[in-house]
Amino acid sequence: MGNESYGKKRFKRSRSHFADRITADGRDGWPVEAGRYRLVVSLACPWAGRVLVARRLLGLESALSLGITDPIQDDRSWRFTLDPDGRDPVLGIRYLSEAYEAREKDAPGGVSVPAIVDVPSGRLVTNDFQQITLDLATEWTELHRPGAPDLYPRALRAEIDEVMEDVFQDLNNGVYRAGFATGQEEYESACRDVFRRLDALTRRLAGRRYLVGDTLTEADIRLFTTLVRFDAVYHGHFKCNRYKLSENPVLWAYARDLFQTPGFGDTVDFDHIKRHYYRVHRGINPTGVVPLGPDTDGWTTPHGRERLGGRPFGEGTPPGAP
């Protein structure tokens, strides 16, 4: 998914090799332009899931087209076998690696999603999963829908950044450090970090609806894409099993609140999520058997978080139907 390597010693997530930015002034050579770029994602990937949520909330669907890969990779990584003739209908390629190779032959870091590709040239622009959503929120504003929320408000950025960094280190990335640990001590350290952060988030969210301020922000998006995968894959597959998300009343209600908010749950595909993790990670799950559970019906049950107030979209409005 996002720049992962599984060494003999410990799991490591590398920085994105292609960190060009698509900006309003085009300072990296890539100006914001409706229809010029294609976003490529796997519905299984939490890092790609962030971009899907941001794209929906900001109303960028018509400006930034979407290609979806098969959740199962082969030796050339992400492939477009879900599309007719096994080719992305816009880029005309069978593998995302072709866009990487068009940009730089034998580039380090592997082929990861999310990725944004320049349609006219067929070249990869960026796979910087940490920056893409921030730029969609701040550089693509002229193409936002009317009523789009401010997901990265300037006055709250320092607090948002601090919260996101803690969540990334201990939770977003922590579940992978636990899941791909090759030693008991390494696993226990990572797993403790995961639940230490979940416990801290429980305290933070017990009396407030959202992580920062009283509206949805980038911080909520980044937490959601890990929480929504927790019981389905991280609890069992990655051995993060001190408790299930559904056993934590505060975080389970918070996650359901987001899931039921337009732009969040409608980007989630539990089938893709489970098939990718359980069938691709053969070092952890050698049989490739995909579990039937957990039951996902609970995601649509009442959450009661409205009592905490908050304005999901601030002065804006919800996005329309997908």
Side-chain angles (χ1 to χ4, degrees):
M1 287 185 251
N3 312 305
E4 299 155 358
S5 61
Y6 315 102
K8 292 183 179 180
K9 294 290 186 182
R10 59 181 299 165
F11 171 85
K12 181 179 180 182
R13 186 173 304 282
S14 60
R15 293 179 62 86
S16 299
H17 179 65
F18 298 100
D20 287 5
R21 295 174 60 188
I22 301 170
T23 58
D25 62 6
R27 55 187 176 272
D28 282 1
W30 308 104
V32 171
E33 185 179 328
R36 175 170 173 175
Y37 306 102
R38 187 157 178 84
L39 170 64
V40 178
V41 304
S42 162
L43 299 180
C45 172
W47 319 105
R50 300 173 173 186
V51 190
L52 288 174
V53 174
R55 176 176 173 268
R56 280 274 292 123
L57 295 179
L58 299 172
L60 290 170
E61 293 100 320
S62 62
L64 179 62
S65 68
L66 180 66
I68 298 175
T69 66
D70 193 308
I72 309 301
Q73 299 154 288
D74 66 14
D75 58 358
R76 290 190 60 182
S77 194
W78 300 108
R79 51 190 183 156
F80 294 103
T81 48
L82 303 180
D83 293 302
D85 301 320
R87 291 185 182 274
D88 180 89
V90 171
L91 300 173
I93 57 178
R94 294 186 181 278
Y95 292 89
L96 179 57
S97 60
E98 296 174 57
Y100 276 70
E101 291 162 5
R103 172 70 184 271
E104 182 181 331
K105 291 285 187 182
D106 302 318
V111 178
S112 64
V113 290
I116 297 183
V117 180
D118 177 50
V119 174
S121 68
R123 297 166 60 209
L124 178 76
V125 176
T126 178
N127 66 349
D128 190 348
F129 66 96
Q130 296 282 50
Q131 187 63 44
I132 288 173
T133 47
L134 299 181
D135 284 341
L136 291 183
T138 60
E139 298 287 341
W140 290 63
T141 53
E142 287 192 6
L143 298 177
H144 288 181
R145 66 178 175 87
D150 185 353
L151 298 176
Y152 197 45
R154 189 173 298 276
L156 297 177
R157 286 181 189 178
E159 185 178 0
I160 291 172
D161 289 347
E162 181 180 4
V163 170
M164 292 193 305
E165 179 62 19
D166 290 341
V167 169
F168 172 77
Q169 295 295 344
D170 293 340
L171 185 58
N172 299 147
N173 200 45
V175 292
Y176 284 86
R177 290 191 290 111
F180 289 102
T182 56
Q184 188 68 30
E185 184 177 344
E186 179 190 353
Y187 157 73
E188 289 186 9
S189 175
C191 193
R192 288 192 186 100
D193 286 345
V194 167
F195 285 94
R196 178 171 56 83
R197 186 55 50 195
L198 288 174
D199 291 346
L201 290 166
T202 300
R203 293 189 294 271
R204 184 181 184 94
L205 289 165
R208 58 191 301 166
R209 193 170 180 185
Y210 303 113
L211 281 172
V212 182
D214 67 348
T215 65
L216 292 164
T217 68
E218 174 77 13
D220 298 292
I221 295 174
R222 295 190 182 193
L223 177 54
F224 172 77
T225 58
T226 293
L227 294 183
V228 81
R229 288 161 174 79
F230 199 88
D231 287 3
V233 288
Y234 302 145
H235 178 271
H237 185 58
F238 279 178
K239 305 181 186 70
C240 294
N241 61 358
R242 205 184 93 196
Y243 56 73
K244 295 178 182 178
L245 177 69
S246 58
E247 294 169 346
N248 179 315
V250 171
L251 294 184
W252 177 224
Y254 167 80
R256 296 193 333 268
D257 186 5
L258 295 184
F259 186 88
Q260 294 168 34
T261 298
F264 284 83
D266 51 48
T267 69
V268 175
D269 189 310
F270 286 110
D271 174 63
H272 277 227
I273 290 168
K274 292 200 301 181
R275 282 197 292 133
H276 171 79
Y277 281 89
Y278 285 101
R279 290 187 58 187
V280 172
H281 298 160
R282 290 301 180 99
I284 300 175
N285 187 40
T287 64
V289 172
V290 180
L292 292 176
D295 186 352
T296 58
D297 289 345
W299 283 97
T300 57
T301 59
H303 53 77
R305 298 276 295 178
E306 303 93 339
R307 63 180 175 78
L308 296 175
R311 303 168 300 142
F313 301 98
E315 301 301 322
T317 58

